[in-house]
Amino acid sequence: MRVVLLCLLNFLIGSDGFTDTKKRKFPENFLFGAATSAYQVEGGWDADDKGKSIWDTFLHDHPEKIVDGRNGDVGPDSYHNWRRDVEMLRELGVDFYRFSISWPRVLPTGFENKINEKGFKYYDDLIDELLKYSIQPMVTLYHFDLPQELQDLGGWTNPLSVTWFEEYARIVFKRYADKVKYWITINQPNTICIDGYGSEAMAPGINAMDSGAYECVKNVLLAHAKAYDLYQKEFKKKFEGNVGISIAVNWYDPINNSTENAEAVEKARAFQLGLYLDPIYSKDGDFPVLVRQIVDKKSKEQGYSASRLPKLSPQEIKLLKGSVDFLGMNHYTTFLVKPSQQEYQSPSFEDDVGVEYSQGEQWKPAKSVWLKSAPYGLYKACIYLNLNYDYPNIIITEHGWSSGPGLRDNSRVDNMRGYFGALLLAMEDATQVKGYTAWSLMDNVEWTAGTSERFGLYEVDFESENKTRKARLSALVYKNIIETREVDLEWKPKNLKIHISKNDKKNNYKAEL
């Protein structure tokens, strides 16, 4: 087993991917998939007795926050177009489809005493259709859309949210454990908590900068651990599925190698990565020591009698440690870090971290202002996980690229190929990556960006009655990579027509990691 020294990395990977010429292939048991989330694609926001989610409320109350004015009320309307969605997955030839269940669609009030069978039927039909064609469902239990009635009780800042989520998870596990072998409890705690409770950027937009974000982090992580423990005790032996959590693992590099920048990037990694990974993967558990030291010190200076970062009890630490079968790694880009030259509002998460982020001027930009292509960062992030968290089992549960409308999305193809190159090199250097998930299967409602940023392998005509989907160039390139298991930089399709393979895969899928 060997690990390439990070200081020599740029000799092997440039900003666009490989610079060497070695041929690398994905192993035959490597899994390829595509992803969406409920709010972003389903539509049907009030159909068939669905309850309100915090995103329904947030964007209905604040339409001015949406770049192009299009919210998720209808979107691609997968609630009515799910058969076409499965057909697209068949066209690509993927092994699995990662989608999320809308908590308020199946439990309109958030509580287990009111189960919406009409809402569950949508997922019944979708899962059965996937399995009919040997496409494995990878189900995310929570992808940002908390029932509004639970938010009215404090949402993720209420310690009872841990129990609410566990009860919801039990209902879904009971219904689908015999059909679903891969589960993701919660998607991106940092987005839920820092952007949703520590700012106004995402729903519910609470902006509780003092302690709300950290209370949310604790409760979300414990909710995940409770759901994981529930599956292990009640479902694992019989159904042998795997349960993980999806964490945003973008990469953070110092803007240069000065001592002050090295210290800044250490803080960035502790707050952006370690805050969520350490309680699960580190030897001692708990939140990172550096985060604890900084927040404790600042809290005292700010006049608080106790730290704004809540403590984890010995029982909670024990519950969290090892509470995954795999790490869902959402990776999009890399940031360059230096100490902050500005004053942030205090108290706040930004003030606690105290750093500034930028990106390389030479890196190719996407449509999203925060997204630039830097494939080397994926490699570095993988090696960081290996060295700090003992070579965890990983599934890339999101990676993607935003563009404008149009079928010939060459920038997405370039990004995909570059990052696949970096991923293959990371796997060559002992990273235990078991699968890759393209974000996303189709254009969707990209939260407050609306449909101004397109992440889809398939373009959606949002103006058409049936929300027509058409394959982009990237869909055909992805299909070719899945079929050949390698990244051919020269391969081009003859046209943009795509068809379902005559040789549908047989269901010889194994859930073991």
Side-chain angles (χ1 to χ4, degrees), residues 367-387:
K367 180 75 171 177
S368 310
V369 296
W370 54 270
L371 181 54
K372 288 190 174 184
S373 188
Y376 84 93
L378 175 57
Y379 177 91
K380 279 194 170 184
C382 286
I383 301 306
Y384 179 86
L385 293 173
N386 292 345
L387 298 179

CSV table of all heavy atoms in Angstrom, one decimal, residues 367-387:
chain,number,residue,atom,x,y,z
A,367,LYS,N,-21.2,27.8,-13.7
A,367,LYS,CA,-22.3,28.8,-13.6
A,367,LYS,C,-22.4,29.3,-12.2
A,367,LYS,O,-22.6,30.5,-12.0
A,367,LYS,CB,-23.6,28.2,-14.1
A,367,LYS,CG,-24.8,29.1,-14.1
A,367,LYS,CD,-24.7,30.1,-15.2
A,367,LYS,CE,-26.0,30.9,-15.3
A,367,LYS,NZ,-26.0,32.0,-16.3
A,368,SER,N,-22.3,28.4,-11.2
A,368,SER,CA,-22.4,28.8,-9.8
A,368,SER,C,-21.1,29.6,-9.4
A,368,SER,O,-20.0,29.1,-9.7
A,368,SER,CB,-22.5,27.6,-8.9
A,368,SER,OG,-23.6,26.7,-9.4
A,369,VAL,N,-21.3,30.7,-8.7
A,369,VAL,CA,-20.1,31.5,-8.4
A,369,VAL,C,-19.2,30.8,-7.4
A,369,VAL,O,-18.0,31.2,-7.4
A,369,VAL,CB,-20.6,32.9,-7.8
A,369,VAL,CG1,-21.4,33.7,-8.8
A,369,VAL,CG2,-21.4,32.7,-6.5
A,370,TRP,N,-19.7,29.9,-6.7
A,370,TRP,CA,-18.8,29.2,-5.7
A,370,TRP,C,-18.1,28.0,-6.3
A,370,TRP,O,-17.2,27.4,-5.6
A,370,TRP,CB,-19.7,28.7,-4.5
A,370,TRP,CG,-20.8,27.8,-4.9
A,370,TRP,CD1,-22.1,28.3,-5.2
A,370,TRP,CD2,-20.8,26.4,-5.1
A,370,TRP,NE1,-22.9,27.2,-5.6
A,370,TRP,CE2,-22.1,26.0,-5.5
A,370,TRP,CE3,-19.8,25.4,-4.9
A,370,TRP,CZ2,-22.5,24.7,-5.8
A,370,TRP,CZ3,-20.2,24.1,-5.2
A,370,TRP,CH2,-21.5,23.8,-5.6
A,371,LEU,N,-18.3,27.6,-7.5
A,371,LEU,CA,-17.9,26.4,-8.1
A,371,LEU,C,-16.8,26.6,-9.2
A,371,LEU,O,-17.1,27.2,-10.2
A,371,LEU,CB,-19.1,25.6,-8.6
A,371,LEU,CG,-18.8,24.2,-9.2
A,371,LEU,CD1,-18.0,23.3,-8.3
A,371,LEU,CD2,-20.1,23.6,-9.6
A,372,LYS,N,-15.6,26.1,-8.9
A,372,LYS,CA,-14.6,26.1,-9.9
A,372,LYS,C,-14.0,24.7,-9.9
A,372,LYS,O,-14.0,24.0,-8.9
A,372,LYS,CB,-13.5,27.1,-9.6
A,372,LYS,CG,-13.9,28.6,-9.9
A,372,LYS,CD,-12.8,29.5,-9.8
A,372,LYS,CE,-13.2,30.9,-10.2
A,372,LYS,NZ,-12.0,31.8,-10.2
A,373,SER,N,-13.4,24.3,-11.1
A,373,SER,CA,-12.9,23.0,-11.3
A,373,SER,C,-11.4,22.9,-10.8
A,373,SER,O,-10.5,23.6,-11.3
A,373,SER,CB,-13.0,22.6,-12.8
A,373,SER,OG,-12.6,21.3,-13.0
A,374,ALA,N,-11.2,22.0,-9.8
A,374,ALA,CA,-9.8,21.8,-9.3
A,374,ALA,C,-9.8,20.3,-8.9
A,374,ALA,O,-9.8,20.0,-7.7
A,374,ALA,CB,-9.6,22.7,-8.1
A,375,PRO,N,-9.6,19.4,-9.9
A,375,PRO,CA,-9.7,17.9,-9.6
A,375,PRO,C,-8.7,17.5,-8.5
A,375,PRO,O,-9.0,16.5,-7.8
A,375,PRO,CB,-9.4,17.3,-10.9
A,375,PRO,CG,-10.0,18.3,-11.9
A,375,PRO,CD,-9.6,19.6,-11.3
A,376,TYR,N,-7.5,18.1,-8.4
A,376,TYR,CA,-6.5,17.7,-7.5
A,376,TYR,C,-7.1,17.7,-6.1
A,376,TYR,O,-6.7,16.9,-5.2
A,376,TYR,CB,-5.3,18.6,-7.6
A,376,TYR,CG,-5.4,19.9,-6.8
A,376,TYR,CD1,-4.9,19.9,-5.5
A,376,TYR,CD2,-5.9,21.0,-7.3
A,376,TYR,CE1,-5.0,21.1,-4.7
A,376,TYR,CE2,-6.0,22.2,-6.6
A,376,TYR,CZ,-5.5,22.2,-5.3
A,376,TYR,OH,-5.6,23.4,-4.6
A,377,GLY,N,-8.1,18.6,-5.8
A,377,GLY,CA,-8.6,18.7,-4.5
A,377,GLY,C,-9.4,17.4,-4.0
A,377,GLY,O,-9.4,17.1,-2.9
A,378,LEU,N,-10.0,16.7,-5.0
A,378,LEU,CA,-10.6,15.5,-4.7
A,378,LEU,C,-9.6,14.5,-4.2
A,378,LEU,O,-9.8,13.7,-3.2
A,378,LEU,CB,-11.4,14.9,-5.9
A,378,LEU,CG,-12.0,13.6,-5.7
A,378,LEU,CD1,-13.0,13.5,-4.5
A,378,LEU,CD2,-12.8,13.1,-7.0
A,379,TYR,N,-8.5,14.4,-4.9
A,379,TYR,CA,-7.4,13.5,-4.5
A,379,TYR,C,-6.9,13.8,-3.1
A,379,TYR,O,-6.8,12.9,-2.2
A,379,TYR,CB,-6.3,13.5,-5.5
A,379,TYR,CG,-5.1,12.6,-5.1
A,379,TYR,CD1,-5.0,11.3,-5.5
A,379,TYR,CD2,-4.1,13.1,-4.2
A,379,TYR,CE1,-4.0,10.5,-5.1
A,379,TYR,CE2,-3.1,12.3,-3.8
A,379,TYR,CZ,-3.0,11.0,-4.2
A,379,TYR,OH,-2.0,10.2,-3.8
A,380,LYS,N,-6.6,15.1,-2.9
A,380,LYS,CA,-6.1,15.5,-1.6
A,380,LYS,C,-7.1,15.2,-0.5
A,380,LYS,O,-6.8,14.8,0.7
A,380,LYS,CB,-5.8,17.0,-1.6
A,380,LYS,CG,-4.4,17.3,-2.2
A,380,LYS,CD,-4.0,18.7,-1.9
A,380,LYS,CE,-2.6,19.0,-2.3
A,380,LYS,NZ,-2.1,20.4,-1.9
A,381,ALA,N,-8.4,15.5,-0.7
A,381,ALA,CA,-9.4,15.2,0.3
A,381,ALA,C,-9.5,13.7,0.6
A,381,ALA,O,-9.6,13.4,1.8
A,381,ALA,CB,-10.8,15.7,-0.2
A,382,CYS,N,-9.4,12.9,-0.4
A,382,CYS,CA,-9.4,11.4,-0.1
A,382,CYS,C,-8.2,11.0,0.7
A,382,CYS,O,-8.4,10.2,1.7
A,382,CYS,CB,-9.4,10.7,-1.5
A,382,CYS,SG,-10.9,10.7,-2.4
A,383,ILE,N,-7.0,11.5,0.4
A,383,ILE,CA,-5.8,11.1,1.2
A,383,ILE,C,-6.0,11.7,2.6
A,383,ILE,O,-5.6,11.0,3.6
A,383,ILE,CB,-4.6,11.7,0.5
A,383,ILE,CG1,-4.4,11.1,-0.9
A,383,ILE,CG2,-3.3,11.3,1.3
A,383,ILE,CD1,-4.5,9.6,-1.0
A,384,TYR,N,-6.5,12.9,2.8
A,384,TYR,CA,-6.8,13.4,4.1
A,384,TYR,C,-7.7,12.5,4.9
A,384,TYR,O,-7.4,12.2,6.1
A,384,TYR,CB,-7.4,14.8,4.0
A,384,TYR,CG,-7.7,15.5,5.3
A,384,TYR,CD1,-6.7,16.2,5.9
A,384,TYR,CD2,-9.0,15.4,5.8
A,384,TYR,CE1,-7.0,16.9,7.1
A,384,TYR,CE2,-9.3,16.1,7.0
A,384,TYR,CZ,-8.3,16.8,7.7
A,384,TYR,OH,-8.6,17.4,8.8
A,385,LEU,N,-8.8,12.0,4.3
A,385,LEU,CA,-9.7,11.1,5.0
A,385,LEU,C,-9.0,9.8,5.4
A,385,LEU,O,-9.1,9.3,6.5
A,385,LEU,CB,-10.9,10.8,4.1
A,385,LEU,CG,-11.8,12.0,3.8
A,385,LEU,CD1,-12.9,11.5,2.8
A,385,LEU,CD2,-12.5,12.5,5.1
A,386,ASN,N,-8.1,9.3,4.5
A,386,ASN,CA,-7.4,8.1,4.8
A,386,ASN,C,-6.5,8.3,6.0
A,386,ASN,O,-6.5,7.4,6.9
A,386,ASN,CB,-6.5,7.7,3.6
A,386,ASN,CG,-7.3,7.3,2.4
A,386,ASN,OD1,-8.5,7.0,2.5
A,386,ASN,ND2,-6.7,7.2,1.2
A,387,LEU,N,-5.7,9.3,6.0
A,387,LEU,CA,-4.7,9.5,7.0
A,387,LEU,C,-5.3,9.9,8.4
A,387,LEU,O,-4.8,9.6,9.4
A,387,LEU,CB,-3.7,10.6,6.6
A,387,LEU,CG,-2.9,10.2,5.3
A,387,LEU,CD1,-1.9,11.4,5.0
A,387,LEU,CD2,-2.1,8.9,5.5
